[in-house]
């Protein structure tokens, strides 16, 4: 029998309204997340979260390169979008959204802590050179199926899902619990297609609950 966990990706202040890297409608993920947290708690399904957790001089920050935010370049041999400074360790912007039911979250996994490489995925940095604690934590609990939502569809959600699939997890993405940056207008739609093509199953929240009834 499948053993599930709910993974909330980067529902942090800097990605929500008023944040340094606000995702359009990012706050709307919170209500979906809280509904699913309650659903999981009723079924004793663990709820976990990832947090972007950057040092103040992180190499993905445009300010470290005298570059324009959202411009393209390279970081440690990898293609890199240079972002506004965001989710600096221990800062207000890095905190989980205040309306998110944090009491329901049993474990939080930090990513993006290495200065010289970005980490969109909750599992690995962008070069797959280092791994977070997430996979070991899930394996230790014999979890094989993930329910995923959060921010942003076209970056951290997408790469977390693709890595989870590569690691052998079944992945269900709650589409109305995700919002994208959309540097290009179709980026989020393309991200959902990429996730589905790689083996993820896409659900709305209502469809998910109906499928599990």
């Amino acid at each position: 029998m499948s053993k599930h966990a709910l993974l909330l990706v980067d529902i942090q202040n800097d990605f929500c309204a008023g944040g340094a890297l606000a995702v359009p409608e990012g706050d709307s993920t919170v209500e979906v997340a809280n509904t699913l947290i309650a659903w999981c708690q009723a079924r004793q399904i663990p709820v976990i979260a990832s947090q972007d957790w950057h040092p103040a001089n992180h190499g993905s920050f445009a300010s470290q390169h005298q570059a324009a935010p959202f411009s393209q370049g390279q970081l440690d041999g990898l293609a890199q979008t240079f972002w506004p400074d965001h989710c600096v360790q221990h800062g207000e912007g890095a905190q989980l959204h205040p309306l998110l039911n944090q009491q329901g979250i049993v474990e939080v996994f930090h990513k993006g802590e290495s200065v010289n490489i970005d980490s969109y995925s909750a599992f690995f940095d962008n070069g797959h050179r280092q791994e977070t604690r997430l996979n070991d934590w899930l394996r230790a609990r014999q979890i094989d199926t993930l329910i995923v939502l959060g921010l942003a569809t076209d970056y951290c959600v997408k790469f977390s899902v693709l890595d989870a699939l590569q690691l052998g997890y079944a992945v269900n993405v709650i589409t109305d619990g995700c919002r994208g940056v959309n540097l290009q207008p179709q980026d989020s739609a393309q991200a959902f297609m990429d996730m589905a093509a790689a083996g993820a199953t896409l659900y709305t929240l209502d469809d998910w609950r109906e499928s599990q009834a």
Side-chain angles (χ1 to χ4, degrees), residues 101-178:
N101 176 14
Q102 297 177 42
Q103 300 300 315
I105 298 170
V106 298
E107 194 77 23
V108 176
F109 300 89
H110 290 162
K111 62 189 184 69
E113 297 175 272
S114 297
V115 171
N116 291 322
I117 193 164
D118 213 351
S119 297
Y120 296 148
S121 168
F123 290 93
F124 296 97
D125 64 46
N126 288 1
H128 281 215
R129 297 166 189 168
Q130 287 188 299
E131 196 172 348
T132 69
R133 297 183 299 111
L134 178 55
N135 185 46
D136 286 345
W137 191 94
L138 295 169
R139 297 290 188 213
R141 288 154 184 81
Q142 300 179 305
I143 290 163
D144 56 16
T145 303
L146 295 176
I147 312 160
V148 181
L149 59 86
L151 301 168
T153 310
D154 37 353
Y155 290 93
C156 298
V157 172
K158 171 184 166 181
F159 287 101
S160 297
V161 166
L162 295 179
D163 279 346
L165 292 164
Q166 282 285 319
L167 289 165
Y169 295 94
V171 182
N172 305 289
V173 180
I174 309 302
T175 56
D176 47 349
C178 301

